[in-house]
Amino acid sequence: MRILVVNVNTTQSITDSIGEQAAGAASPGTEIVPLTPSFGAESVEGNYESYLAAVAVMEAVRAYTEPFDAVIQAGYGEHGREGLQELLDVPVVDITEAAASTAQFLGRSYSVVTSLDRTVPLIEERLHVAGLSARCASVRASGLAVLDLERDERAAVDAIVEQAARAVEDDRAEVICLGCGGMSGLTERVAERTGVPVVDGVSAAVTIAESLVRLGLSTSKVRTYAPPRPKRMVNWPPVGEGRP
């Protein structure tokens, strides 16, 4: 089984970290292929960057020429999962939805701890669209930019733990979801210091994707995610971007 894990930003070190986390969660015999978009922002922390990332992620997958069995979209918020589901005949799993759905097996309510405050509404909207908001106690911001997570890991853990503890105490959350692909690898330390289950979206997405492939299931093509209708595209792809 081969699973593509696509970073939503263009920072290669984050792609590497996401790939390592995914490989650690994968079953024997599952090959993880990390992909970095060829264009876009170095970190995705707002609506403009998010919509740009959606296009970049779809093009990164379309440019991959080898066979694959599933795709993981490794960004929290809105990054074009629905577009990928139209384009592909294999399962597509978004880490936002993977983490939240997994958390609901572990406790009555969950909270998400993410990066900057400006990303909170994007995550809240994604959870609402996915039908996963009813049991979400809160979405909290650690105050860290995505790239800060790599610069000082100890400070990152401290900031995430502070908000996770407040979510458990003040918001009555019973499970914590790490709300950023760049937080991969911090699960155990946050869990040790909060005393509640902590879900990493990348790991959760890998196990969900593997299960869907083994069950022989993929996206319904009856209506919402039917393939795009053939039509003339004007000036697309952009100069320098080739089709597979």
Side-chain angles (χ1 to χ4, degrees), residues 70-85:
V71 174
I72 292 171
Q73 183 178 275
Y76 244 80
E78 170 52 66
H79 304 300
R81 182 263 295 161
E82 293 88 345
L84 280 175
Q85 287 185 297

Side-chain angles (χ1 to χ4, degrees), residues 2-8 33-39 53-74 79-81 83-93 236 241-244:
R2 178 180 291 157
I3 299 177
L4 306 186
V5 180
V6 193
N7 186 8
V8 299
V33 180
L35 297 180
T36 303
S38 62
F39 61 92
V55 178
V57 166
M58 286 187 282
E59 290 304 294
V61 173
R62 281 167 26 88
Y64 187 81
T65 57
E66 299 298 320
F68 55 91
D69 300 291
V71 174
I72 292 171
Q73 183 178 275
H79 304 300
R81 182 263 295 161
L84 280 175
Q85 287 185 297
E86 287 188 5
L87 291 173
L88 304 176
D89 293 324
V90 300
V92 178
V93 182
W236 186 260
E241 294 293 328
R243 294 186 181 276

Side-chain angles (χ1 to χ4, degrees), residues 80-116:
R81 182 263 295 161
E82 293 88 345
L84 280 175
Q85 287 185 297
E86 287 188 5
L87 291 173
L88 304 176
D89 293 324
V90 300
V92 178
V93 182
D94 171 86
I95 67 169
T96 313
E97 298 169 16
S101 58
T102 300
Q104 294 185 142
F105 288 106
L106 305 174
R108 181 178 180 274
S109 60
Y110 69 93
S111 285
V112 178
V113 178
T114 187
S115 52
L116 299 177

